């Protein structure tokens, strides 16, 4: 048991959840390595949400509210870290959640589907799929009722190749990635440089707030946001952390 007053309690708890995910067969070994990379960046960010991440979350909330068909894409890591919060987010947006795995097996898909059913959410992606043009790996397999026809896709701890092909397919991509230098962060329409565990509750709060705004105000928020500038600010913040 990790004592609650441990200075790095959240990070250690997260590591514990990923380890459990490996034992249950939900998370892949590569997911464990991704966790290690994430912890390094989070350490440099002092495990806090920066004002730049807050700006990106603000724009994300507006973009999601403007989207006709947003879809939340989940993998093994996000499932064990924050499935409950992601269900709350999907209910708030009345949108689908779809499982998308690089190391895809029927068993892992079903295990992830079961985790979401615990919160009464039937997710997409565990059944019949078709291939999204331009991506030959398993990640190119998408649900016709989900990512295939989505206009905006929220991805977390994502691979750069898929982000790029989603953008090429004409979709807006919102990425949650602690590494602002990753291809995912560099290619996404909006990149939130922060820990997914902190981001999702903040995003739900922001969506509840922005729901009261007029469409024209939401459009203004999205147009005002500059992802390139935001990434530079986040990279400079990481440098300060060193
Ligand atoms: P890319 O393919 O985009 O160039 P990559 O190959 O380094 O990036 P992937 O394994 O494809 O990385 O995706 C994992 C990413 O998720 C890493 O950048 C890692 O820092 C980040 N990450 C890990 N844990 C978290 C977390 N809890 N919250 C947000 N991001 C995280
Ligand atoms: Mg990658």
């Amino acid at each position: 048991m990790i004592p609650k007053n441990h200075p790095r309690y959240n990070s250690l708890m997260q590591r514990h959840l990923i380890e459990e995910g490996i034992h249950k067969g939900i998370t892949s070994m590569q997911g464990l390595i991704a966790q290690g990379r994430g912890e390094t960046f989070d350490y440099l960010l002092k495990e806090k949400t920066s004002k730049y991440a807050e700006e990106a979350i603000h724009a994300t909330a507006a973009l999601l509210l403007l989207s006709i068909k947003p879809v939340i894409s989940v993998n093994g890591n996000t499932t064990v870290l924050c499935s409950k919060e992601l269900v709350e987010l999907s209910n708030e947006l009345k949108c689908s959640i779809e499982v998308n795995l690089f190391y895809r097996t029927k068993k892992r898909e079903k295990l992830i589907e079961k985790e979401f059913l615990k919160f009464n959410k039937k997710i997409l992606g565990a059944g019949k799929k078709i291939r999204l043009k331009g991506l030959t790996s398993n990640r190119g397999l998408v649900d016709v009722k989900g990512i295939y026809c989505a206009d905006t896709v929220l991805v977390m701890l994502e691979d750069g190749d898929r982000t790029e092909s989603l953008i090429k397919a004409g979709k807006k991509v919102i990425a949650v990635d602690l590494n602002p230098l990753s291809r995912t962060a560099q290619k996404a329409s909006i990149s939130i440089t922060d820990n997914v565990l902190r981001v999702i509750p903040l995003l739900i709060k922001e969506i509840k707030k922005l729901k009261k705004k007029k469409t024209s105000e939401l459009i203004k928020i999205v147009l005002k946001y500059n992802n390139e500038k935001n990434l530079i600010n986040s990279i400079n913040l990481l440098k300060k952390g060193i």
Side-chain angles (χ1 to χ4, degrees), residues 78-89:
T78 43
T79 300
V80 294
L81 289 176
C82 53
S83 42
K84 184 168 175 266
E85 291 78 5
L86 289 172
V87 170
E88 199 184 331
L89 176 65

Side-chain angles (χ1 to χ4, degrees), residues 6 17 23 44 90 104 108 150 160 179 193 209 232:
H6 191 287
L17 288 173
H23 294 308
L44 295 174
S90 74
R104 194 188 275 274
R108 277 188 77 209
N179 178 6
T193 307
K209 215 162 83 191
I232 292 170

Side-chain angles (χ1 to χ4, degrees), residues 14 34-35 37-38 41 81 157-160 176-179 182-184 194-196:
Q14 202 168 319
Q35 163 69 20
R37 282 207 295 299
F41 290 105
L81 289 176
L157 289 70
E158 184 55 73
D159 186 63
V176 181
D177 192 327
L178 276 159
N179 178 6
S182 78
R183 279 177 311 153
T184 304
D194 196 14
N195 195 314
V196 71

Side-chain angles (χ1 to χ4, degrees), residues 190-222:
I190 300 180
S191 318
I192 308 172
T193 307
D194 196 14
N195 195 314
V196 71
L197 266 175
R198 294 191 294 271
V199 171
I200 307 303
L202 290 172
L203 183 57
I204 295 169
K205 229 167 142 185
E206 198 61 19
I207 287 170
K208 282 185 177 158
K209 215 162 83 191
L210 292 191
K211 258 188 180 171
K212 297 170 198 130
K213 302 249 182 215
K214 287 193 215 129
T215 304
S216 58
E217 286 181 67
L218 297 177
I219 294 173
K220 257 193 225 158
I221 294 172
V222 173

Side-chain angles (χ1 to χ4, degrees), residues 11-235:
S11 220
L12 295 178
M13 268 314 285
Q14 202 168 319
R15 197 183 296 176
H16 175 70
L17 288 173
I18 299 284
E19 277 170 15
E20 262 187 1
I22 299 255
H23 294 308
K24 286 186 194 163
I26 297 173
T27 315
S28 70
M29 287 308 274
Q30 282 67 24
L32 188 66
I33 299 167
Q35 163 69 20
R37 282 207 295 299
E39 276 188 36
T40 314
F41 290 105
D42 214 7
Y43 200 93
L44 295 174
L45 290 171
K46 306 201 164 42
E47 296 178 14
K48 273 197 211 112
T49 302
S50 72
K51 65 174 177 193
Y52 311 116
E54 278 170 4
E55 279 171 13
I57 291 170
H58 183 60
T60 294
L63 179 60
L64 286 171
L65 287 169
L66 286 169
S67 301
I68 295 162
K69 190 175 168 52
V71 172
I72 303 168
S73 178
V74 294
N75 59 17
N77 283 51
T78 43
T79 300
V80 294
L81 289 176
C82 53
S83 42
K84 184 168 175 266
E85 291 78 5
L86 289 172
V87 170
E88 199 184 331
L89 176 65
S90 74
N91 289 339
E92 203 53 49
L93 291 167
K94 298 193 175 34
C95 77
S96 304
I97 295 179
E98 179 170 336
V99 52
N100 187 281
L101 305 171
F102 190 84
Y103 299 94
R104 194 188 275 274
T105 61
K106 262 261 136 319
K107 192 174 162 218
R108 277 188 77 209
E109 278 177 359
K110 287 286 164 204
L111 281 170
I112 290 175
E113 189 180 42
K114 231 168 89 187
E115 285 301 302
F116 281 92
L117 279 175
K118 285 183 188 165
F119 305 105
N120 294 319
K121 184 79 185 180
K122 173 89 183 84
I123 63 166
L124 300 173
K128 204 166 159 259
K129 287 172 281 293
I130 59 166
R131 187 168 288 284
L132 195 72
K133 238 171 112 185
L135 200 62
T136 47
S137 79
N138 276 336
R139 295 218 121 179
L141 296 171
V142 292
D143 198 304
V144 213
K145 298 195 290 298
I147 292 173
Y148 187 73
C149 58
D151 54 351
T152 305
V153 187
L154 172 68
V155 301
M156 295 148 276
L157 289 70
E158 184 55 73
D159 186 63
D161 285 351
R162 191 163 81 110
T163 307
E164 222 173 331
S165 50
L166 289 172
I167 295 273
K168 271 195 197 142
K171 301 174 196 305
K172 296 255 183 253
V173 177
I174 300 160
V176 181
D177 192 327
L178 276 159
N179 178 6
L181 295 161
S182 78
R183 279 177 311 153
T184 304
Q186 293 287 327
K187 296 281 175 193
S189 321
I190 300 180
S191 318
I192 308 172
T193 307
D194 196 14
N195 195 314
V196 71
L197 266 175
R198 294 191 294 271
V199 171
I200 307 303
L202 290 172
L203 183 57
I204 295 169
K205 229 167 142 185
E206 198 61 19
I207 287 170
K208 282 185 177 158
K209 215 162 83 191
L210 292 191
K211 258 188 180 171
K212 297 170 198 130
K213 302 249 182 215
K214 287 193 215 129
T215 304
S216 58
E217 286 181 67
L218 297 177
I219 294 173
K220 257 193 225 158
I221 294 172
V222 173
L223 290 178
K224 209 176 140 209
Y225 177 78
N226 182 334
N227 203 49
E228 220 174 299
K229 215 163 119 192
N230 192 284
L231 281 169
I232 292 170
N233 285 331
S234 300
I235 293 166

